[in-house]
Amino acid sequence: MGEQGRRWSAFTEADAAFTNTLLPGLVTELDGYGLMELEGEGSPVLDLFRKAKGPGLLIPARHGGHGLDCRDALRVQSALATLSPSLGVGTMMHHLAVVSFVEYLRVHVGDDAPQWALLASVARRNHLLASASSEARRGSDALVPRTTATVQEDGGYVLNGSKKPCSLARSMDILTSSVLVRSDDERDGTVALAVIPAAIEGVGVRPFWRAPVLVAAESEEVVLDQVHVPAEMVVPGGRPERGMDELQVRAWTWFEVLACGTYLGTAQSLFDRAAHAPRVERRALGELAAELFVCRSACERAAATFDAGGAAEDAMTEALLARLFVEERLPDLCARLARLLGGLAFVTGPEVAYLVSAARALAFHPPRGVSSAESLGGRFTGAPLDLSIF
């Protein structure tokens, strides 16, 4: 219990209190562990998140969840990642699976469809959802899943494919995956969303993550090998050649905002340490506070635009602007915070080096920074936002 009673900075105190009230006691419990206890194998972070009823954060209130908007979800992500970057990353992917399913249901089956019962069950039972919908490929086939769903004579499907890395691989209760439908009718070639119980026969997990950071996010390879599912577990969609539709744009806007908030939380953890370090250089701390403030403000602006309900492409544009700025500034910001903390803090414990390293992982989530910059440049010269970058 190496960091009990930690002191928060102004960047984290309000969000930590908000999160601790929303998810009773979670911040307090996490604060009872040292950082490295929370980040390694055998970490309790996902169990603590379940216990605090975190899986229902983004599920609509009418279906038993908290129904958080994007701006409040950003606050929670930052607070949790300040204490455990792995928890931030793992829950970020759970939330992507939830919002992808929410948007799918709203568009394809309506607000009163029986499929909503699954999300109500997730909120009630505190199930964790893993997402196998991100292919992280660019080009004309980027929206065509590699995982297939072949229609059977009984009307069900057989699923085959894999996703790596897939966060929450060992703790997931449900896997959601985009699938390419194979059939002898008009469904052939369409993209659907499969909702798969993790314990069903044919779902396997293979070791994949060998990096020493973010281990507790459980990002391994998930394999689907002849997985038989009934028809009601596959929600129909459209054809990939139509490009990313509005619901996909909305889901990925959520992701970009929450990803930025997660990794900013890692930087905020370093800032908290620097703010309470003895004999800290105040001018340097103030300069870093200004940079952190601008990064966070960009994310809050993108979240507020999304929550206002405007055009999906406008919200995505702001989310990508925030992402590009945060991704560019974060490595230097964390390096300067580490320098401000001093060599003694760096060499006498693993926490500072670990946080600096973990913050770099934002660059490895889609889309690539170069691609985002090119797409945004096109948008501001009058072209549509190029979403093939995902």
Side-chain angles (χ1 to χ4, degrees), residues 288 291 328-337 339 360:
L288 290 165
E291 290 204 36
E328 287 289 323
R329 298 307 309 151
L330 200 56
D332 179 66
L333 181 59
C334 289
R336 289 163 62 195
L337 282 165
R339 186 164 64 246
R360 295 299 299 246

Side-chain angles (χ1 to χ4, degrees), residues 346-359:
F346 189 87
V347 302
T348 56
E351 290 87 356
V352 173
Y354 180 87
L355 291 167
V356 171
S357 181

Side-chain angles (χ1 to χ4, degrees), residues 12 17 30 32 40 55 62 85 101 126 144 153 159 167 183 190 193 228 252 279 287 291 307 327:
T12 50
L30 291 170
R62 66 179 294 187
F101 196 39
N126 298 307
V144 181
E153 291 185 1
L159 311 180
S167 296
S183 71
T190 61
L193 181 70
H228 293 255
W252 279 100
R279 298 182 298 278
E287 291 170 346
E291 290 204 36
D307 290 336
E327 185 179 319

